[in-house]
Amino acid sequence: METEFRAWMVEDQEQPAVWRTVNVSDLPQADVWVRIAYSSLNYKDALALTGKGKVIRQFPMIPGIDLAGEVIKSDVEQYAEGDRVLVTGYGIGETHWGGLSEIASLRTEWLVPVPKPLSLPDAMRIGTAGFTAMLCVMALEEHGITPERGEVIVTGAGGGVGGIAVTLLSKLGYNVAAVSRRPELDDYLRSLGASQVLRPDALGDPRKPLQAERWAGVVDTVGGELLALLLSQTKYEGCAAICGLAGSAALPTTVLPFILRGVRLIGIDSVRCDAGRRGEAWSRLAELMKPDRLNAMTRTIALDEALAYGEKLLQGEIRGRLIVDTRIRE
């Protein structure tokens, strides 16, 4: 194993990450070492890279909440050199050095074998965004939201979680409405399987606590007034799976949708999801997310371009998913 590698390093909460050479001996203590082939660039990564969000818990820190690659050293029986693995969540990129790097040291219990037929880049085209989207879909299913119950609406559909949620729901036979503020994404979202694309300001008056029933299910990445509005329009015994706060962490609603219509609000956490459910979600993703769909919603960048693209992501200039190929240079 080489003695040095390149990585993005955040050394101060208020400052952008720096591109630097790191010694392997500086890696945190762990039991499996992975040569990272691909990572991805998520909203949380962009906040960490640019210094515009307090997502890192200790310093210095290599950001990156996703990674996929091959084992290059293992101190455990479960994994051997050459095994293909992926990691999402578990605090990597926040409390443990993460995926925007050429090498990572990791704990055995964090690793997921890359399920066939996914390739390493496919695993990161899905990444935390797709994993979270699958958990949202599974939550709707488990709470009785079948395609026959009616339309499901997905907010933030132009982003990674939203786009993959639209794709998954469409593949499973749901009638899907996609919400996006960007008209230029309408054709793209329809290509992913949306039957209609809606603007947030055309959905209704967010000040009304209970409105006409429209949605059997909701997948929300936005929060705030938009989520409150959709809850007021959710059908009797409908369900909202929520996983983001791109708009706001506030929820200006009332108890009326919950006590008069039996609406269920399900929080989705992909960071500490248990191993069994994690494996189930990845198996379903491998089955449902085909390479042509993944390619259509993905752009590949070099590792040393991550900071520049993090800025673009925060400015709303990115459609779909960004994956990071550690083997190429700008």
Side-chain angles (χ1 to χ4, degrees):
M1 187 167 63
E2 55 264 52
T3 59
E4 294 182 334
F5 61 95
R6 298 285 280 170
W8 287 100
M9 186 71 76
V10 180
E11 298 175 336
D12 183 274
Q13 189 75 264
E14 308 298 329
Q15 299 298 319
V18 294
W19 177 238
R20 54 173 286 193
T21 298
V22 182
N23 197 291
V24 168
S25 63
D26 293 331
L27 284 166
Q29 184 62 39
D31 43 29
V32 180
W33 287 257
V34 174
R35 179 172 288 109
I36 301 170
Y38 294 89
S39 184
S40 69
L41 196 60
N42 302 280
Y43 191 80
K44 186 181 286 187
D45 301 323
L47 290 172
L49 281 166
T50 60
K52 295 179 179 178
K54 296 181 179 180
V55 299
I56 291 177
R57 305 287 187 263
Q58 60 189 51
F59 300 89
M61 179 60 57
I62 295 175
I65 63 173
D66 290 346
L67 65 86
E70 293 187 354
V71 174
I72 52 176
K73 180 184 175 184
S74 174
D75 291 340
V76 296
E77 294 182 358
Q78 296 96 311
Y79 292 97
E81 185 176 339
D83 285 351
R84 302 186 317 149
V85 296
L86 65 90
V87 182
T88 63
Y90 289 113
I92 68 167
E94 299 174 72
T95 59
H96 185 96
W97 286 8
L100 292 175
S101 170
E102 293 173 332
I103 293 178
S105 60
L106 303 157
R107 297 179 186 170
T108 309
E109 61 268 26
W110 299 347
L111 303 181
V112 175
V114 176
K116 295 179 180 179
L118 292 180
S119 65
L120 289 175
D122 284 345
M124 287 296 95
R125 290 185 178 106
I126 295 170
T128 285
F131 176 55
T132 304
M134 189 72 249
L135 292 177
C136 288
V137 172
M138 289 165 63
L140 295 184
E141 292 174 332
E142 290 159 2
H143 287 84
I145 309 304
T146 62
E148 294 72 29
R149 288 283 303 277
E151 198 167 14
V152 175
I153 189 166
V154 178
T155 68
V161 177
I164 295 179
V166 169
T167 302
L168 291 169
L169 289 163
S170 175
K171 288 276 289 182
L172 290 167
Y174 291 85
N175 186 17
V176 187
V179 181
S180 174
R181 298 182 184 276
R182 301 160 62 187
E184 67 272 18
L185 298 185
D186 287 6
D187 289 343
Y188 163 71
L189 293 172
R190 290 191 178 94
S191 76
L192 298 183
S195 59
Q196 60 175 323
V197 183
L198 305 171
R199 304 285 170 258
D201 55 7
L203 285 166
D205 185 349
R207 294 171 297 179
K208 295 181 179 180
L210 212 58
Q211 304 185 32
E213 298 179 35
R214 296 183 65 178
W215 319 112
V218 178
V219 174
D220 179 66
T221 69
V222 175
E225 285 192 348
L226 181 55
L227 174 57
L229 171 63
L230 296 179
L231 289 170
S232 77
Q233 298 174 349
T234 300
K235 291 182 177 182
Y236 185 76
E237 292 193 339
C239 179
I242 63 169
C243 61
L245 40 72
S248 174
L251 184 54
T253 189
T254 72
V255 298
L256 295 182
F258 310 108
I259 65 173
L260 296 182
R261 291 183 179 163
V263 171
R264 285 152 292 184
L265 184 62
I266 309 298
I268 303 299
D269 171 56
S270 63
V271 175
R272 295 187 295 175
C273 178
D274 70 76
R277 191 166 182 80
R278 193 175 288 266
E280 178 188 356
W282 275 103
S283 293
R284 294 193 66 189
L285 285 162
E287 174 189 353
L288 293 167
M289 294 300 297
K290 303 306 180 186
D292 57 338
R293 283 290 179 93
L294 290 169
N295 289 336
M297 63 176 65
T298 305
R299 178 172 183 174
T300 301
I301 64 172
L303 179 56
D304 54 9
E305 295 180 289
L307 178 58
Y309 275 90
E311 294 280 5
K312 294 180 181 181
L313 182 58
L314 294 182
Q315 292 165 12
E317 298 176 9
I318 302 299
R319 183 194 83 178
R321 294 276 293 147
L322 286 169
I323 68 164
V324 180
D325 188 336
T326 67
R327 304 166 303 174
I328 59 175
R329 295 286 181 268
E330 182 181 4

